[in-house]
Amino acid sequence: MRHILSLLLENEAGALSRVAGLFSARGYNIESLTVAPTEDATLSRMTIVTTGSDDVIEQITKQVNKLIDVVKIVDLNEGRHVERELMLVKLRAVGKDREELKRTADIFRGRIIDLTEKTYVIELTGAGDKLDAFLEAIDPSLILEAVRTGACGLGRGEWIVKA
Amino acid sequence: MKLSDAPQAASTDVVTTLLTGAEIVCHAMKAEGVEFVFGYPGGAVLVIYDEIHKQSHFKHILVRHEQAAVHAADAYARATGRPGVALVTSGPGVTNAVTGIATAYMDSIPMVIITGQVPTYAIGQDAFQECDTVGITRPCVKHNFLVKDVGELAETIKKAFFIATTGRPGPVVVDIPKDVSMASAPFHYPSTVDMRSYRPTNKGHGGQIKKAMQMLLSAERPMVYVGGGAILGDASEQVTTLVKMLGYPCTNTLMGLGAYPSTDRQFVGMLGMHGTVEANMAMQNCDVLIAIGARFDDRVIGNPTHFNAGNPTRKIIHIDIDPSSISKRVKVDVPIVGNIKDVLDEMIAQIKSAEQKPNGIAAWWKQIEEWRAKDCLKFKQSDTIIKPQYVVQKLWEVTKGDAFVTSDVGQHQMWAAQYYGFDKPRRWINSGGLGTMGVGLPYAMGCKFAFPDADVACITGEGSIQMNIQELSTCKQYDLPIKVILLNNRYLGMVRQWQDFFHGNRHAESYMDALPDFVKLAEAYGHVGMKIEKPGDVEGALKEAFALKKRLVFMDFLTDQKENVFPMVPGGKGISEMILAEDL
């Protein structure tokens, strides 16, 4: 099952590779991993999307927690949560496709953030399956390149992950 | 300045004296009460060595290979319970040390390894003797640090000792670039550190302990399974008291030998791949199992599916300081995360005050005695050829079961574990987790430095001993009267045994050809060499060797080439699926 893990870790050199190294060393999956410093510059917040049985997720949580630089790890699947991912996608936009692509982007609440005579760059945020759906809605031959951040998430309501 | 002139580290909070990084390293060792630093000099640590040369608070031990420095420091930690310290240079110094670090990591040994690094401005430039120490050691340390600012050096070393020795112990590497060793900073060595990201759980959960006790006291077929954690947590006294009060059978893992006295009747022997019939059968068939500082690893319980399927109603209580050890390979019913010593003290107190007494388990003991009656460790003595088991038995007799015994890895290691009855913790020093050949001699060195008046024996094989034989020179330099017990069967015995059992008797590269004359070799290093070829000479030779109190004696016992270690659970099988000597 897919789980979304949220971590607070010391904003130290090498902290990211400790986490990533643990996943590869113990054979755990990483679907996506995203990390950046937070409002507290001494801490980084990392979101990892992984898959595994409940037993595997329990081991992942315990092993990650054991890393000295990790302050806290929470499995967001244990409660209600929101998650978002950002995608930038460059499309070939010429002729009749130009109007059609603009319309599709509007339907998905995407924004055109760069354009030339031949291309659009569209910015799109949402849950991962929405980004997938957008890419599926476009003629594949028009997709020049795409980049995605991977998911980040927070618990709903008063549920807060703090150091 | 001289070390003795410096202000005491913990005596005041405001210390403004400027010290160099190298001086800070030495002061930190002093503040930590370090007795020995095992190491090898080189370019990146020259400044630190220069400071070591000027001080007298700790002794530096010059080994002949960095791997041996880490092993010796590791053994010092295993034998004393205090953190071991090693010091190596950058690049190859570090890569040589990695085997030692990984060995300590797998067995959770508290250590601090100081490594030199090229100057900060040269890092990443492929400088001479540069390697990514933090990157290379990351998967085999509890934690590591690269110190880029001399102002952070003292606190970082304090953190290293704190992390190494608390929670589940382990090795910590502190990588110090040469310019950091040379730069100066005010010296303040903190007496404590608090890290928001590292606060190990020490106190076991009261409710869980109560639940465990109810389960344990109402058991009909109980079993106590004790691992290396009980030794690392200095809980062997508590283990013994609890087991005695309960009257239950007790087994120790390879790493737990000595946690419960081997010569006691309630001890059913070591369990696992080469465990006794009574230990393995009791483990498989018990109704309540309490695991104390053990981790259900593959060499102990064999195939976990078989372990569970054969006895699905077995209830398991697991005490461990590391939550990730619990329910890793085997699902546990009552997990207790905490310091073993404190948890067991609480359990003992509960039994003392409780109305409920442990169940009589006469029927269970009767069953265990039937298994024990198989006498699975018996072997056929010979008049003409030395049986390796016999040498270990005689060693036990000659040393009155009171020596520090180190081993390398292979058949001799298993025979040492099976036939030397360890009654005290921290006397059996071996590489259980990583299974590192070559540890035996440096381990014996570490023990001898820690306990110069004790008998120290290194049980080894002709394969393993050659992996760190250069340390005979270190033993000469520091006059370490170790007794090397070489069980020489001219084969990589355990490899040969597996080839006989599982690879159609094809001895691919397991015959040790062109062996040196070990007697002459020992003599060349300035030691005493002995060659023992007849069973009748074993006891006399051992007595003679141990009587030479001031000399290292290298005893080359020519042993039976065909002898195998029994019982044996083949890899991937369940622990009750043992092959016994009598089966063949």
Side-chain angles (χ1 to χ4, degrees):
Chain A
M1 188 187 158
R2 177 182 183 271
H3 285 251
I4 177 160
L5 306 175
S6 193
L7 284 74
L8 281 173
L9 61 162
E10 297 290 349
N11 187 11
E12 299 268 355
L16 164 63
S17 40
R18 287 182 208 282
V19 178
L22 171 74
F23 272 73
S24 63
R26 292 192 182 267
Y28 305 141
N29 299 313
I30 299 183
E31 263 181 27
S32 72
L33 184 157
T34 165
V35 61
T38 61
E39 78 284 359
D40 174 353
T42 66
L43 286 172
S44 291
R45 180 94 177 224
M46 181 184 282
T47 309
I48 300 173
V49 177
T50 182
T51 52
S53 66
D54 288 351
D55 289 350
V56 170
I57 299 295
E58 183 186 332
Q59 262 301 308
I60 292 178
T61 310
K62 285 171 168 179
Q63 294 291 350
V64 170
N65 222 351
K66 211 161 87 172
L67 294 173
I68 305 293
D69 282 339
V70 172
V71 180
K72 196 161 232 177
I73 174 167
V74 173
D75 180 355
L76 291 180
N77 287 46
E78 282 176 6
R80 298 172 65 214
H81 64 278
V82 288
E83 62 174 272
R84 287 292 181 271
E85 182 175 353
L86 168 69
M87 174 169 74
L88 302 179
V89 55
K90 188 176 285 178
L91 303 171
R92 175 157 308 284
V94 287
K96 62 176 173 46
D97 291 334
R98 222 169 153 79
E99 199 43 40
E100 179 59 24
L101 289 172
K102 168 84 170 68
R103 259 198 304 277
T104 311
D106 285 344
I107 292 168
F108 280 85
R109 303 191 199 292
R111 297 196 302 145
I112 296 170
I113 56 171
D114 179 65
L115 84 172
T116 64
E117 279 178 13
K118 291 177 181 167
T119 63
Y120 285 157
V121 172
I122 293 175
E123 171 198 319
L124 199 63
T125 51
D129 62 343
K130 174 183 158 183
L131 308 188
D132 294 341
F134 176 74
L135 292 175
E136 283 160 20
I138 305 244
D139 177 352
S141 66
L142 301 181
I143 302 173
L144 297 172
E145 59 176 336
V147 58
R148 299 170 66 151
T149 58
C152 63
L154 287 179
R156 281 191 185 270
E158 304 283 307
W159 187 22
I160 290 162
V161 180
K162 272 277 181 197
Chain B
M1 77 187 265
K2 279 194 303 196
L3 199 65
S4 51
D5 301 335
Q8 284 292 314
S11 61
T12 168
D13 278 332
V14 187
V15 183
T16 48
T17 323
L18 283 183
L19 296 187
T20 65
E23 286 173 322
I24 289 172
V25 170
C26 291
H27 280 283
M29 295 303 136
K30 182 189 166 197
E32 291 292 342
V34 172
E35 282 185 287
F36 297 105
V37 171
F38 299 88
Y40 206 100
V45 284
L46 271 175
V47 204
I48 299 175
Y49 270 88
D50 202 31
E51 254 353 280
I52 289 177
H53 189 68
K54 296 177 197 162
Q55 61 83 47
S56 57
H57 297 290
F58 60 86
K59 196 168 175 197
H60 179 272
I61 308 301
L62 176 68
V63 294
R64 299 299 180 267
H65 187 291
E66 286 91 347
Q67 183 191 345
V70 183
H71 288 327
D74 168 345
Y76 174 88
R78 290 179 199 242
T80 64
R82 297 193 291 274
V85 180
L87 170 61
V88 299
T89 195
S90 63
V94 169
T95 54
N96 280 347
V98 164
T99 300
I101 297 170
T103 304
Y105 180 65
M106 283 291 271
D107 290 341
S108 308
I109 306 303
M111 289 190 66
V112 172
I113 301 102
I114 309 273
T115 58
Q117 182 56 279
V118 300
T120 48
Y121 53 80
I123 290 177
Q125 308 287 312
D126 297 323
F128 176 66
Q129 293 194 330
E130 180 185 359
C131 75
D132 175 9
T133 299
V134 165
I136 286 174
T137 60
R138 187 180 298 123
C140 61
V141 293
K142 185 169 173 188
H143 197 57
N144 57 20
F145 296 96
L146 167 62
V147 185
K148 286 186 167 173
D149 175 357
V150 68
E152 291 173 3
L153 182 56
E155 195 187 350
T156 303
I157 296 177
K158 180 72 204 177
K159 278 184 183 171
F161 277 94
F162 175 66
I163 293 168
T165 54
T166 52
R168 179 178 180 173
V172 178
V173 165
V174 182
D175 196 26
I176 309 176
K178 189 169 186 178
D179 55 336
V180 173
S181 297
M182 294 166 79
S184 297
F187 177 66
H188 166 57
Y189 198 71
S191 53
T192 54
V193 280
D194 179 44
M195 299 169 71
R196 63 179 170 186
S197 62
Y198 176 67
R199 288 187 184 129
T201 308
N202 282 317
K203 198 169 158 28
H205 188 277
Q208 291 291 89
I209 294 176
K210 219 169 223 145
K211 206 167 146 194
M213 286 317 292
Q214 285 168 357
M215 199 178 266
L216 204 55
L217 292 174
S218 57
E220 289 175 0
R221 286 172 284 120
M223 179 69 168
V224 184
Y225 150 52
V226 183
I231 290 175
L232 294 168
D234 286 320
S236 123
E237 199 186 310
Q238 282 77 2
V239 166
T240 309
T241 307
L242 181 72
V243 173
K244 286 279 179 199
M245 284 173 104
L246 292 168
Y248 291 172
C250 178
T251 181
N252 288 339
T253 66
L254 179 70
M255 293 310 296
L257 290 176
Y260 188 85
S262 300
T263 48
D264 187 84
R265 194 67 191 163
Q266 276 171 256
F267 186 65
V268 293
M270 181 176 79
L271 82 168
M273 183 171 269
H274 296 294
T276 64
V277 169
E278 51 273 35
N280 284 353
M281 294 303 282
M283 189 79 179
Q284 182 65 29
N285 293 292
C286 61
D287 67 344
V288 174
L289 176 66
I290 177 167
I292 303 172
R295 57 187 178 89
F296 294 88
D297 85 76
D298 56 311
R299 286 299 193 265
V300 167
I301 60 149
N303 184 331
T305 312
H306 178 277
F307 184 67
N308 288 328
N311 184 356
T313 57
R314 183 203 298 113
K315 296 282 180 222
I316 302 178
I317 301 157
H318 191 175
I319 311 170
D320 206 290
I321 197 146
D322 175 10
S324 73
S325 280
I326 295 177
S327 291
K328 183 169 69 179
R329 294 192 79 236
V330 168
K331 201 84 180 147
V332 165
D333 300 282
V334 185
I336 303 171
V337 177
N339 185 310
I340 291 172
K341 198 174 185 167
D342 298 343
V343 172
L344 294 186
D345 273 336
E346 175 63 30
M347 287 185 155
I348 291 164
Q350 285 192 17
I351 298 183
K352 279 183 181 158
S353 65
E355 303 279 298
Q356 200 187 358
K357 293 288 165 213
N359 266 349
I361 54 159
W364 179 230
W365 268 118
K366 188 167 167 280
Q367 170 68 73
I368 290 170
E369 291 305 336
E370 276 172 32
W371 288 322
R372 176 139 51 190
K374 274 198 168 284
D375 197 10
C376 65
L377 293 181
K378 71 170 177 283
F379 58 92
K380 286 195 194 83
Q381 184 53 299
S382 155
D383 296 335
T384 50
I385 191 157
I386 299 175
K387 292 288 179 176
Q389 302 96 319
Y390 176 71
V391 178
V392 179
Q393 277 183 341
K394 284 295 159 194
L395 175 69
W396 180 75
E397 286 175 26
V398 168
T399 56
K400 302 183 175 60
D402 204 31
F404 285 83
V405 176
T406 75
S407 90
D408 275 296
V409 170
Q411 285 186 318
H412 67 269
Q413 176 191 24
M414 293 300 117
W415 286 318
Q418 290 174 327
Y419 295 91
Y420 196 98
F422 293 95
D423 282 341
K424 293 178 189 164
R426 301 192 180 279
R427 291 301 172 100
W428 164 237
I429 314 287
N430 83 128
S431 165
L434 197 67
T436 307
M437 288 172 71
V439 295
L441 186 55
Y443 272 0
M445 286 159 37
C447 292
K448 200 69 192 169
F449 279 114
F451 297 99
D453 299 327
D455 282 333
V456 177
C458 163
I459 300 180
T460 185
E462 77 289 342
S464 288
I465 192 68
Q466 292 189 89
M467 284 206 184
N468 264 319
I469 195 133
Q470 77 287 343
E471 295 309 314
L472 286 173
S473 172
T474 312
C475 293
K476 183 63 189 169
Q477 181 174 344
Y478 297 98
D479 285 325
L480 302 176
I482 292 159
K483 308 301 177 234
V484 178
I485 315 291
L486 169 58
L487 303 179
N488 183 351
N489 61 0
R490 285 78 75 209
Y491 274 102
L492 299 176
M494 192 59 91
V495 173
R496 199 266 304 136
Q497 177 168 344
W498 281 58
Q499 287 170 336
D500 284 351
F501 285 19
F502 313 118
H503 299 278
N505 298 300
R506 289 179 300 279
H507 294 167
E509 306 297 325
S510 58
Y511 181 67
M512 282 269 108
D513 210 344
L515 285 173
D517 178 333
F518 287 109
V519 172
K520 279 189 186 159
L521 186 69
E523 287 168 0
Y525 277 110
H527 301 303
V528 178
M530 284 184 182
K531 189 168 191 170
I532 304 97
E533 298 178 82
K534 294 196 196 87
D537 296 338
V538 169
E539 188 170 355
L542 283 167
K543 281 183 175 158
E544 192 186 332
F546 279 91
L548 291 170
K549 293 278 176 206
K550 298 208 154 115
R551 300 298 299 277
L552 183 149
V553 184
F554 193 115
M555 309 182 77
D556 182 10
F557 291 93
L558 287 192
T559 60
D560 187 350
Q561 292 191 287
K562 295 200 175 72
E563 196 56 52
N564 289 321
V565 182
F566 293 110
M568 180 183 190
V569 179
K573 293 281 188 180
I575 49 165
S576 55
E577 300 176 297
M578 287 165 277
I579 305 172
L580 303 182
E582 64 192 32
D583 296 339
L584 299 174

